[in-house]
Amino acid sequence: MTKQLHLARIMARSVSSRPSFSDTAPSTILDASRDEIIGNTSKNWKRTRLPWNNRKIVNSEGTVFRPTPPLSCYDFNSHSFTTSVENIVSKRKFSNTIRSSNRVRDNDGNSHPSNKNVGKPADTKKEREPNSKPKKVTTLSLASKKRRGQKITMVTAYDYPSAVHVDRAGVDAVLVGDSCAMVELGFETTQPITLDQMIHHCQAVKRGAPNRPLLVGDMPFGSYEFEDCDVALRNAYRMIKEGGMDAVKFEGGSESRAKVVRHVVDGGVAVLGHVGLTPQAISVLGGFRAQGRTAVRARALLDDALRLQEAGAFGIVLECIPANVATAITDALEIPTIGIGAGGGTSGQVLVFHDLLGMLSHPHHEEFVPKFCKQYARVGVDINNGLAQFKKEVEDGAFPGDQYSPYVMTKKEKIMFEDLLKVDAEKRRSKHEEAASKLKQSDEYEQLNLYGDKNGSR
């Protein structure tokens, strides 16, 4: 121990100044001043992690010391004194680096504190990675958007490709509507589509937009109108479990419909209501006609909406009603409203994917495009032009050409293949001529029009 004390004295004298020290040090090193090391050689030193002007060092006998900044250190693992000069230098360099990074110099070369981080909140969370899952839109998300005065976006889609596009566009919700019967399946109304067909399309949409948007499945005509509410609940369960939907939509706001909505919501399924023009009830309405254009009927629509809200619906679609009526209903409800042909006073808007993009340009389809639908593109025109160009290039022999015929044989394999063709070339030629003769006779027979033309005349 005498040698160790002697070494401590030499090391203490070798340091002419006492630079400032950081208030943290390795846990295995006890920092102490020169006088305290010489005056007490106990191995049971203790310390507190405080600034040097408040730090206490206590030995096993309870003696308290208030040290000055350290010049040497005692390592209890090796039972030897170590100099802290290197640590002092490295810490000083690190401290100077930190201070310099937070200062800037003006044109005169004077240094000033940097204010680049002033006013910026501390970011303790990591930035979202590009491939991380987007936040899921829920029924609560839509209600929150209404409270904040933010508009809700919804698009009606029926298949995988359209769902992918809607999801990439960041639309809040996707409605798999029973209008699929008209737009996708070619029916004149929405009534013919079945629950199994709706589930088929819901599954495709779910695969196209699996994570982010709220998915709502339209309950088709004849799947929920029964007096036995359990029928509606069972079919709603199928839309959720088999179709992959987050919620279902019912048309109508009568007392009986509100009873069904309440039963389904109590069963754990979120419900989106629908008042105004309800296409499934065109037999009663007398066709696709605007609703709520009289004061009495407008008030009835408000009552229907309030009834659905009380039953537990998370939102209501308002279709084909006057804008002032839709605004009054929206203001009277706590839940959001989604308008379609109902003006801009609703909480959000919904349009059919094919309609807003102008997917179909056939005159028959254009005749039935709703007046309220704005076309943001003319995709159908481009589709027709592309198909017409394809037909022409095939007929002219321009397609596919060498550019789109990438699969080739080696020169050696080509020669071998030609030799194989020569083996039975004569036999194949005779069969070809025989088949061509039969087909030619068949063509001439049809051209005679023996059974008259299409109009039945001979």
Side-chain angles (χ1 to χ4, degrees):
M1 186 60 67
T2 303
K3 293 182 179 180
Q4 293 174 348
L5 292 175
H6 180 67
L7 178 61
R9 293 191 183 95
I10 296 175
M11 292 169 58
R13 287 195 297 270
S14 64
V15 180
S16 59
S17 61
R18 295 186 176 187
S20 61
F21 215 81
S22 172
D23 65 336
T24 60
S27 59
T28 58
I29 302 297
L30 176 64
D31 299 327
S33 65
R34 174 181 57 186
D35 298 335
E36 289 147 7
I37 295 173
I38 298 173
N40 196 311
T41 58
S42 173
K43 300 179 181 180
N44 299 321
W45 292 96
K46 300 179 182 179
R47 68 171 183 172
T48 59
R49 290 184 175 274
L50 296 171
W52 274 104
N53 56 347
N54 294 325
R55 183 174 293 184
K56 299 178 181 179
I57 297 181
V58 186
N59 64 6
S60 58
E61 288 77 19
T63 305
V64 178
F65 299 93
R66 295 188 180 276
T68 57
L71 297 179
S72 59
C73 305
Y74 183 78
D75 190 342
F76 288 113
N77 293 329
S78 61
H79 301 292
S80 61
F81 290 95
T82 59
T83 179
S84 59
V85 175
E86 295 179 357
N87 291 336
I88 292 173
V89 174
S90 62
K91 290 181 180 181
R92 177 179 290 179
K93 289 181 179 180
F94 177 76
S95 178
N96 291 338
T97 303
I98 296 299
R99 287 195 295 269
S100 62
S101 65
N102 292 327
R103 300 182 68 85
V104 294
R105 292 186 180 275
D106 56 19
N107 296 332
D108 299 329
N110 299 321
S111 177
H112 303 282
S114 173
N115 60 350
K116 62 181 179 180
N117 293 322
V118 175
K120 293 184 179 180
D123 186 13
T124 58
K125 296 182 179 179
K126 293 183 179 179
E127 295 183 1
R128 177 180 291 182
E129 298 178 0
N131 296 328
S132 62
K133 265 189 178 181
K135 187 176 181 180
K136 173 69 177 177
V137 178
T138 66
T139 58
L140 296 179
S141 303
L142 302 188
S144 177
K145 294 195 77 169
K146 178 183 179 178
R147 290 194 299 270
R148 296 196 303 267
Q150 299 175 351
K151 291 293 186 179
I152 299 168
T153 56
M154 177 182 284
V155 171
T156 301
Y158 316 106
D159 52 33
Y160 174 84
S162 58
V164 170
H165 287 297
V166 172
D167 187 19
R168 289 178 177 176
V171 175
D172 295 319
V174 179
L175 171 64
V176 187
D178 61 353
S179 52
C180 173
M182 302 176 66
V183 179
E184 289 275 346
L185 305 181
F187 292 108
E188 294 184 355
T189 69
T190 63
Q191 292 178 338
I193 196 167
T194 66
L195 180 61
D196 289 336
Q197 290 173 322
M198 284 298 303
I199 291 175
H200 170 79
H201 286 275
C202 287
Q203 292 170 341
V205 170
K206 175 65 175 180
R207 289 189 289 269
N211 298 319
R212 190 194 54 79
L214 179 72
L215 303 181
V216 182
D218 216 344
M219 297 295 291
F221 182 62
S223 65
Y224 61 93
E225 297 88 348
F226 302 93
E227 185 177 355
D228 184 3
C229 297
D230 285 336
V231 175
L233 182 58
R234 283 195 297 268
N235 291 333
Y237 283 152
R238 290 194 62 193
M239 292 289 281
I240 301 298
K241 299 177 70 173
E242 299 177 33
M245 297 292 99
D246 301 313
V248 297
K249 182 173 78 68
F250 293 150
E251 290 187 4
S254 63
E255 292 182 2
S256 60
R257 196 56 40 79
K259 179 182 177 182
V260 174
V261 171
R262 182 178 293 105
H263 186 70
V264 173
V265 172
D266 290 343
V269 179
V271 175
L272 177 66
H274 185 161
V275 300
L277 172 60
T278 49
Q280 294 176 5
I282 59 170
S283 300
V284 177
L285 298 176
F288 298 102
R289 296 181 178 181
Q291 302 295 308
R293 301 178 70 177
T294 65
V296 174
R297 184 56 191 149
R299 172 65 204 202
L301 290 178
L302 173 58
D303 293 337
D304 290 345
L306 291 170
R307 196 177 294 115
L308 290 173
Q309 175 179 260
E310 185 179 355
F314 71 86
I316 298 177
V317 173
L318 304 178
E319 181 170 0
C320 294
I321 64 176
N324 63 312
V325 178
T327 301
I329 294 175
T330 302
D331 293 340
L333 297 177
E334 295 298 325
I335 59 178
T337 59
I338 311 296
I340 177 168
T346 56
S347 307
Q349 298 292 325
V350 58
L351 283 178
V352 175
F353 180 86
H354 296 68
D355 291 343
L356 71 91
L357 294 180
M359 290 289 291
L360 300 179
S361 61
H362 192 276
H364 174 75
H365 177 78
E366 291 179 346
E367 182 181 351
F368 294 99
V369 172
K371 295 179 181 179
F372 56 75
C373 181
K374 177 180 179 180
Q375 290 187 339
Y376 292 84
R378 299 284 292 172
V379 178
V381 175
D382 293 334
I383 291 175
N384 280 352
N385 293 338
L387 292 173
Q389 184 176 356
F390 165 75
K391 178 178 181 293
K392 184 178 184 302
E393 289 187 3
V394 171
E395 292 175 345
D396 296 344
F399 179 81
D402 294 337
Q403 182 179 358
Y404 298 100
S405 302
Y407 312 110
V408 297
M409 300 174 67
T410 62
K411 185 175 181 181
K412 180 180 179 181
E413 293 295 333
K414 285 183 179 180
I415 296 174
M416 294 176 61
F417 179 63
E418 291 173 357
D419 292 339
L420 291 174
L421 292 177
K422 294 177 182 178
V423 174
D424 57 345
E426 188 62 30
K427 183 178 180 180
R428 285 186 290 104
R429 186 181 298 108
S430 61
K431 287 185 176 182
H432 173 73
E433 292 176 354
E434 181 181 352
S437 177
K438 291 180 179 181
L439 292 174
K440 183 178 180 181
Q441 293 175 4
S442 176
D443 291 342
E444 291 176 351
Y445 179 80
E446 292 295 334
Q447 290 174 5
L448 293 177
N449 294 326
L450 296 180
Y451 300 103
D453 56 20
K454 294 182 180 179
N455 296 326
S457 62
R458 292 183 178 274

